[in-house]
Amino acid sequence: MVVLKGSVPMAFGGTQEPAAYGELVSIGGLNPDVNKKLSAAIASILESKLSIPKSCFYLKFHDSKAHPAQEHAQCLHRSDFGWNDSTF
């Protein structure tokens, strides 16, 4: 499912140029390598179809199939956030 909301006031990097924020939720299947590939693919789409530069969006990844150590607490890692054609 994809939901797009246009005309939402957003500041990114101190400017109000075109920007985006997204969340990608999966039931299993996400990992750091997959996140990087998805970030690159989505960055390309945002840039080519919506004129949003690759450096002007964040993408948060969440795999709802939690690891045993994460069952009671949400642990986010650098690889859970996409930006600039990759992840942190």
Side-chain angles (χ1 to χ4, degrees):
M1 172 174 48
V2 175
V3 177
L4 296 174
K5 293 183 182 180
S7 301
V8 175
M10 183 180 289
F12 192 102
T15 73
Q16 292 186 357
E17 296 300 316
Y21 170 81
E23 295 189 15
L24 193 151
V25 179
S26 177
I27 303 171
L30 293 180
N31 63 52
D33 291 330
V34 170
N35 294 357
K36 279 187 180 187
K37 290 176 185 172
L38 288 170
S39 183
I42 292 170
S44 179
I45 292 168
L46 289 174
E47 192 168 57
S48 66
K49 303 293 184 188
L50 300 176
S51 299
I52 297 173
K54 294 177 181 180
S55 61
C56 290
F57 87 99
Y58 283 121
L59 182 59
K60 178 182 172 186
F61 296 96
H62 176 73
D63 195 331
S64 64
K65 196 172 190 176
H67 300 290
Q70 296 177 338
E71 287 180 2
H72 300 290
Q74 176 65 30
C75 298
L76 296 174
H77 304 279
R78 294 174 62 90
S79 61
D80 292 330
F81 290 92
W83 172 76
N84 203 22
D85 206 20
S86 189
T87 56
F88 288 94

